[in-house]
Amino acid sequence: MDSTAVEQISLIMSAPLYVERALYVLAGIAGAVGAVLAAVTRPDAFDAAGRQSKSAWVAILAVSALALLLRLPFIAWFAAVAVGIYYFDVRPQINNLLRGNY
């Protein structure tokens, strides 16, 4: 095999690693943005929604963002789940309450 073929194979074999890194960074950024969004939300909205307190969600999302950006093994998976729960469960419910949609 010549050197260009080896370089092409190496590039193809490393593609999943680059995709994984990009996903961790994107999820980490989403966690950081979620922490900011939670921090600027009224605290009584979390209580009215029956969720954890505002400070708990800010802490959960900040630690999750850190774990994802540092790509901590195994912990980053839990962090990604926490960020997903916030965006797909908690945030929509709080937005509905703040808009007056019950």
Side-chain angles (χ1 to χ4, degrees):
M1 253 198 274
D2 61 348
S3 64
T4 58
V6 172
E7 289 175 11
Q8 288 176 345
I9 291 171
S10 176
L11 180 65
I12 292 170
M13 295 297 289
S14 64
L17 179 64
Y18 293 126
V19 171
E20 179 185 12
R21 287 181 182 171
L23 289 175
Y24 276 123
V25 168
L26 289 174
I29 291 170
V33 170
V36 171
L37 290 173
V40 299
T41 304
R42 293 175 24 192
D44 60 335
F46 290 91
D47 295 332
R51 301 297 179 172
Q52 293 289 329
S53 68
K54 172 183 175 173
S55 58
W57 273 108
V58 171
I60 289 168
L61 292 168
V63 169
S64 295
L66 184 65
L68 285 161
L69 291 173
L70 294 177
R71 294 189 321 256
L72 297 176
F74 194 66
I75 296 172
W77 287 95
F78 290 111
V81 169
V83 171
I85 288 172
Y86 177 75
Y87 275 107
F88 293 110
D89 186 34
V90 176
R91 184 88 183 143
Q93 186 177 12
I94 289 173
N95 283 340
N96 283 336
L97 284 172
L98 292 175
R99 289 184 192 128
N101 303 332
Y102 303 99

